[in-house]
Amino acid sequence: MNNVIIHYAFLPHTDADAALGFYRDALGFEVRQDVGYEDLRWITVGPVDQPKTSIVLHPPVVDPGVTEEERATVLRLMAKGVLGAVTLGTNDLDAFFERVEAAGAEVVQEPTEQDYGVRDCAFRDPSGNLVRVNQL
């Protein structure tokens, strides 16, 4: 079991170009794949020095069995930031926070010492997903 890694995690996006602006330009991830089908896009991004770990940004609610009402509900929950989340880690939380904030990302929480022993900050990506970042 020592060779198990997190290979792909999935987060929904509502605007592929805005997602690229956040994950590529603000966070500094590289784009590994950008796949389109009709008017939909799946974008795979990840840390430059970790080619085996990726986040797949995908269009939400594309299942044909989902009703328009259900789709609208999912999109409303996404906008509130209650559906998607990921936690990243960095060796220099303050520098990372300053860089991402300067890029115009929505700050949810500035770097904070948590009562449960973690120092972290948080942003919301353009689709509403919560992105927490821990000091390693």
Side-chain angles (χ1 to χ4, degrees), residues 6-97:
I6 296 175
H7 192 46
Y8 292 109
F10 292 79
L11 289 174
H13 74 75
T14 55
D15 180 327
D17 291 327
L20 273 176
F22 181 78
Y23 288 94
R24 182 192 57 204
D25 304 336
L27 297 187
F29 285 175
E30 67 180 3
V31 177
R32 298 186 178 144
Q33 288 188 320
D34 189 341
V35 178
Y37 175 74
E38 297 180 350
D39 61 343
L40 305 173
R41 284 171 68 189
W42 286 257
I43 303 167
T44 304
V45 296
V48 173
D49 59 345
Q50 298 172 44
K52 294 180 180 178
T53 301
S54 300
I55 296 174
V56 179
L57 305 166
H58 63 89
V61 204
V62 294
D63 186 320
V66 176
T67 67
E68 280 305 311
E69 182 180 343
E70 292 167 333
R71 184 177 196 287
T73 298
V74 169
L75 293 175
R76 280 193 302 274
L77 292 172
M78 277 181 64
K80 291 183 175 183
V82 298
L83 282 186
V86 65
T87 300
L88 309 174
T90 181
N91 291 329
D92 190 343
L93 184 66
D94 294 312
F96 185 86
F97 176 82

Side-chain angles (χ1 to χ4, degrees), residues 65-134:
V66 176
T67 67
E68 280 305 311
E69 182 180 343
E70 292 167 333
R71 184 177 196 287
T73 298
V74 169
L75 293 175
R76 280 193 302 274
L77 292 172
M78 277 181 64
K80 291 183 175 183
V82 298
L83 282 186
V86 65
T87 300
L88 309 174
T90 181
N91 291 329
D92 190 343
L93 184 66
D94 294 312
F96 185 86
F97 176 82
E98 289 175 16
R99 188 184 80 213
V100 175
E101 181 184 42
E106 179 184 345
V107 174
V108 176
Q109 173 205 301
E110 295 187 5
T112 303
E113 295 284 344
Q114 303 292 350
D115 293 341
Y116 45 88
V118 172
R119 184 166 187 270
D120 66 359
C121 65
F123 300 94
R124 191 169 315 284
D125 80 6
S127 297
N129 299 303
L130 183 64
V131 178
R132 298 199 75 81
V133 186
N134 288 358

